[in-house]
Amino acid sequence: MRKADNMHARDYLVIDLEATCDDKGAVPKREMEIIEIGAVLVDGEIFEPIAEFQRFVRPLRHPKLTPFCTRLTSITQAEVDAAQTFPAVLTELREFMAGSEAVFASWGKYDHMQFRQDAAFHGVKLPFRGQHLNIKEAFSAAVGTTKRFGMAGALRRLGLPLEGTHHRGIDDARNIARILPYAVGAQVIPG
């Protein structure tokens, strides 16, 4: 594997976020906050992971996780209580990305929008250059359908098992990174 400090513009930073949530409306969508950032830096030439970043984030608006959120993500109250706030974790992500012009990539628009929402709330600037690859849309286009697959459905379509815990940022980022080469045409989607 290449070292993270030798990145180039063709690399991809695959990110998956988990955020505060509730199935009964206790956490409005506009008040959701990131509680985990999972990222896999992928070499854009050979589509292999170069490095990983995973941090929990302490939420401020709704600091107590709902039972639904804990069940969905398996993230515990103790993990977020011990975490730093978004600005500090974003500084760590920026350091992780130092020198990188990697394309920010995620499954759908949610992660991009959630990052923007948290950055606005905290008054901080995101480390991305504005370019975002929606792997969900790219995968549907590569398959030749308008159907929008969920991440687990895309893995099934490719004949790949879901690895790790679904709805954990780092595990989902790893799984999405496995889909990436098919979405950008670097590997052929099985018939």
Side-chain angles (χ1 to χ4, degrees), residues 21-170:
C21 56
D22 187 53
D23 60 343
K24 296 186 177 17
V27 180
K29 193 172 188 167
R30 70 186 177 285
E31 293 180 9
M32 290 171 62
E33 288 178 89
I34 296 168
I35 56 172
E36 183 188 10
I37 298 173
V40 177
L41 184 63
V42 177
D43 181 305
E45 292 177 8
I46 61 172
F47 289 91
E48 291 291 328
I50 300 168
E52 293 186 350
F53 177 91
Q54 187 278 335
R55 297 290 184 282
F56 293 112
V57 181
R58 183 166 32 96
L60 300 179
R61 288 177 170 158
H62 299 275
K64 274 281 199 221
L65 299 182
T66 65
F68 172 79
C69 187
T70 299
R71 278 192 312 274
L72 179 68
T73 66
S74 76
I75 297 170
T76 67
Q77 188 66 48
E79 287 169 323
V80 297
D81 285 348
Q84 297 192 58
T85 60
F86 181 74
V89 174
L90 197 62
T91 296
E92 290 183 30
L93 180 61
R94 189 174 280 110
E95 290 168 3
F96 172 78
M97 295 176 59
S100 171
E101 299 209 8
V103 174
F104 167 30
S106 65
W107 193 259
K109 297 176 189 174
Y110 163 77
D111 302 272
H112 186 238
M113 299 308 293
Q114 188 64 50
F115 257 128
R116 292 176 66 185
Q117 180 173 298
D118 280 45
F121 175 71
H122 290 280
V124 295
K125 187 175 178 183
L126 293 172
F128 316 114
R129 294 189 176 240
Q131 195 176 12
H132 174 253
L133 172 63
N134 182 331
I135 300 172
K136 184 178 194 173
E137 285 181 359
F139 182 77
S140 291
V143 170
T145 182
T146 56
K147 176 185 176 183
R148 294 293 186 246
F149 291 82
M151 182 201 67
L155 288 168
R156 279 192 302 277
R157 172 67 179 78
L158 294 171
L160 300 172
L162 182 111
E163 296 178 353
T165 302
H166 195 21
H167 298 297
R168 277 304 297 270
I170 190 62

Side-chain angles (χ1 to χ4, degrees), residues 2-8 11 41 50-51 96-100:
R2 278 190 306 135
K3 293 183 67 145
D5 58 359
N6 292 331
M7 295 176 274
H8 54 80
D11 291 338
L41 184 63
I50 300 168
F96 172 78
M97 295 176 59
S100 171

